[in-house]
Amino acid sequence: MYTVSGKSDKNHLLEMHVPLVKKLAHQMKAKLPPSVEVDDLIQAGMIGLLDAINRYEETHGAQFETYAVQRIRGAMLDELRNSDWLPRGIRQNMRKIEEAMNKLQQRLGRTAKEAEIAKELKVSLEEYQDMLSEGSGHQLVYYEDFHDKDENEHFLDRYCVDESSDPLKALMHTGFREAVIRAIEALPEREKILMGLYYEQEMNLKEIGAIMGVSESRVCQLHSQAIARMRARLKEQAWTGLA
């Protein structure tokens, strides 16, 4: 991987990690609306890979693939934001859902049911479920979380300085991991099972629907709802100093 001069062989790194870019693009595409083209994600990912290769020499020994994955995913997410794949109105709707869930949790002392959330939002149950469907791709953590808004220096540049420095691990060590576990445990049983099948068993929505006896679109709604519940709980924990 290195030339005689000690500099990384950039062409070799590029060719070697093209399959990684494609893999990450297809993984991300599986969680996004049909309007998002996988080729656009791959193109953005290649830019992220080139950026990782150019910056890698400055990180003094960081494991390249760990560093590259973050750069590739970040470039893909930048592309999605620039393309406004999730319109502002939909993002606002998801925030409203999270706020409604938080209010109901405090008022009822338990996880709110769908009908209760719809009533709090002053919409019909069908309209609420449509909002969840439109919010497909809503994430628990966004790429902005890896940036320090008050500094020009990138989170990855500060923390990926050796083989043990993984930005996700750094996030996990702040108590975030425990907060996520608590948020998952607080989910209704059905949504908890869905999250396990999706993230641990890596099943797609169609496969999960077959197991749960519901349509693929219904699985999509429940997934969006579970993410919204978790985000609402994590925000509440952050405000109370628990996370």
Side-chain angles (χ1 to χ4, degrees), residues 15-100:
E15 293 173 6
M16 186 175 169
H17 290 88
V18 168
L20 175 63
V21 173
K22 293 181 178 179
K23 176 184 176 182
L24 293 173
H26 283 282
Q27 286 178 344
M28 188 173 289
K29 166 61 181 170
K31 303 175 184 179
L32 297 171
S35 58
V36 178
E37 296 289 341
V38 71
D39 287 344
D40 292 338
L41 294 176
I42 291 173
Q43 184 176 2
M46 290 301 296
I47 294 173
L49 175 59
L50 286 170
D51 183 46
I53 291 171
N54 289 331
R55 290 174 177 267
Y56 180 57
E57 293 172 351
E58 303 170 7
T59 63
H60 307 298
Q63 185 177 355
F64 179 75
E65 187 163 320
T66 298
Y67 182 74
V69 165
Q70 299 298 331
R71 287 286 179 184
I72 293 166
R73 284 179 176 161
M76 291 178 184
L77 291 171
D78 282 340
E79 171 64 20
L80 291 172
R81 279 197 301 275
N82 292 336
S83 301
D84 199 21
W85 67 276
L86 195 62
R88 185 182 300 274
I90 294 177
R91 290 197 295 268
Q92 290 175 343
N93 282 343
M94 294 308 297
R95 284 197 292 270
K96 289 177 182 177
I97 288 172
E98 292 167 16
E99 290 170 3

Side-chain angles (χ1 to χ4, degrees), residues 20-241:
L20 175 63
V21 173
K22 293 181 178 179
K23 176 184 176 182
L24 293 173
H26 283 282
Q27 286 178 344
M28 188 173 289
K29 166 61 181 170
K31 303 175 184 179
L32 297 171
S35 58
V36 178
E37 296 289 341
V38 71
D39 287 344
D40 292 338
L41 294 176
I42 291 173
Q43 184 176 2
M46 290 301 296
I47 294 173
L49 175 59
L50 286 170
D51 183 46
I53 291 171
N54 289 331
R55 290 174 177 267
Y56 180 57
E57 293 172 351
E58 303 170 7
T59 63
H60 307 298
Q63 185 177 355
F64 179 75
E65 187 163 320
T66 298
Y67 182 74
V69 165
Q70 299 298 331
R71 287 286 179 184
I72 293 166
R73 284 179 176 161
M76 291 178 184
L77 291 171
D78 282 340
E79 171 64 20
L80 291 172
R81 279 197 301 275
N82 292 336
S83 301
D84 199 21
W85 67 276
L86 195 62
R88 185 182 300 274
I90 294 177
R91 290 197 295 268
Q92 290 175 343
N93 282 343
M94 294 308 297
R95 284 197 292 270
K96 289 177 182 177
I97 288 172
E98 292 167 16
E99 290 170 3
M101 288 174 169
N102 204 323
K103 290 178 182 177
L104 288 168
Q105 173 69 36
Q106 294 179 13
R107 189 188 311 157
L108 302 173
R110 59 168 172 79
T111 301
K113 299 176 181 178
E114 283 185 89
E116 292 169 333
I117 299 169
K119 184 177 180 180
E120 180 72 18
L121 292 168
K122 296 181 173 59
V123 299
S124 68
L125 179 59
E126 183 178 357
E127 288 173 322
Y128 169 62
Q129 291 175 342
D130 285 343
M131 291 166 68
L132 292 174
S133 295
E134 291 172 350
S136 173
H138 194 43
Q139 299 169 214
L140 184 63
V141 179
Y142 286 90
Y143 188 59
E144 287 89 345
D145 298 324
F146 291 101
H147 288 270
D148 189 331
K149 295 180 181 179
D150 298 324
E151 299 180 24
N152 293 324
E153 190 178 21
H154 197 286
F155 182 97
L156 299 176
D157 293 327
R158 284 186 283 122
Y159 289 95
C160 277
V161 294
D162 55 49
E163 292 186 359
S164 63
S165 294
D166 181 330
L168 186 56
K169 288 180 181 177
L171 187 61
M172 293 297 100
H173 291 161
T174 64
F176 183 78
R177 180 177 182 275
E178 289 73 17
V180 169
I181 291 172
R182 291 195 296 269
I184 292 173
E185 289 299 318
L187 289 173
E189 192 63 27
R190 196 182 193 192
E191 292 173 28
K192 195 186 302 183
I193 291 171
L194 185 158
M195 298 296 274
L197 293 173
Y198 192 64
Y199 291 102
E200 292 181 17
Q201 303 300 321
E202 297 186 345
M203 293 184 179
N204 59 40
L205 301 183
K206 185 176 181 179
E207 292 169 334
I208 295 172
I211 290 174
M212 298 181 67
V214 298
S215 67
E216 185 174 343
S217 61
R218 180 58 178 154
V219 174
C220 179
Q221 292 171 359
L222 291 172
H223 178 264
S224 294
Q225 184 167 255
I227 292 295
R229 289 191 200 276
M230 292 178 67
R231 284 180 60 84
R233 186 171 180 84
L234 288 169
K235 287 178 183 178
E236 181 186 8
Q237 291 177 355
W239 291 334
T240 57

